[in-house]
Amino acid sequence: ETYARMRAEGHPLASSIFRVNLSGASLAEETIIAFIIDAVEEFKVPPTQFCIEVTETNAILNLTSASRFIHILKEQGFTFALDDFGSGFSSFNYLKNLPVDYLKIDGCFIRNMDRDQIDYTMVQAISSMCRVLGLSTIGEFAENEVIIEKLREIGVDYAQGYGISKPLPLE
């Protein structure tokens, strides 16, 4: 409503991108998508003028809801920002405060790093951060020689997976 009024008055900010912070409770609310779409239609607001901000913590806590929410509203023209990245549950922030010696890099990044530049870059970033922190790294799901070689290139210290050996019984 405020945006529609500002646009009607010719306010100079009406051509700006408006950033809206969404609470975790709103993200989990089933009716929020319909509410936003109805408001856009009622006030004839262009969705491209709005960037919805979701905190990393709320996105992680409500991953299924957040993903669905973002997909549906992106189709309408909204853009999204992941706010407070690095302070949530899966962030580097914990590494500063937990006195661990090794960090096992999740297989979801390793599994396709030989075919997916984003996964490769994520593993590279995690490995780089661990070197600065003095942590040794272990790449899970090292399933083939190509992945093992890419882990070597990046500087991951150890590999774990069928590319090294299938599980063997203790004798």
Side-chain angles (χ1 to χ4, degrees), residues 142 148 159-168:
I148 293 167
Q160 173 186 336
Y162 287 175
I164 304 294
S165 174
K166 296 208 188 284
L168 300 172

Side-chain angles (χ1 to χ4, degrees), residues 11-114:
H11 195 287
L13 288 179
S15 62
S16 300
I17 300 291
F18 283 76
R19 298 185 176 275
V20 178
N21 286 304
L22 193 69
S23 72
S26 295
L27 190 60
E29 179 61 45
E30 288 293 321
T31 60
I32 189 71
I33 295 171
F35 173 79
I36 292 171
I37 292 171
D38 289 347
V40 163
E41 290 173 2
E42 179 182 347
F43 296 105
K44 298 180 182 19
V45 173
T48 55
Q49 293 295 123
F50 289 87
C51 178
I52 299 172
E53 297 185 5
V54 178
T55 66
E56 176 190 19
T57 304
N58 286 329
I60 291 168
L61 286 173
N62 304 295
L63 194 55
T64 303
S65 298
S67 182
R68 179 177 173 273
F69 176 85
I70 292 169
H71 281 295
I72 291 171
L73 291 180
K74 277 183 76 77
E75 288 175 3
Q76 299 291 316
F78 290 92
T79 57
F80 287 83
L82 189 59
D83 194 14
D84 297 334
F85 181 77
S87 64
F89 293 112
S90 64
S91 71
F92 293 132
N93 185 43
Y94 283 111
L95 293 180
K96 291 190 318 185
N97 300 308
L98 290 173
V100 298
D101 301 297
Y102 297 90
L103 184 108
K104 291 181 79 171
I105 302 171
D106 195 294
C108 71
F109 299 117
I110 307 285
R111 182 180 292 126
N112 297 314
M113 68 181 281
D114 57 337

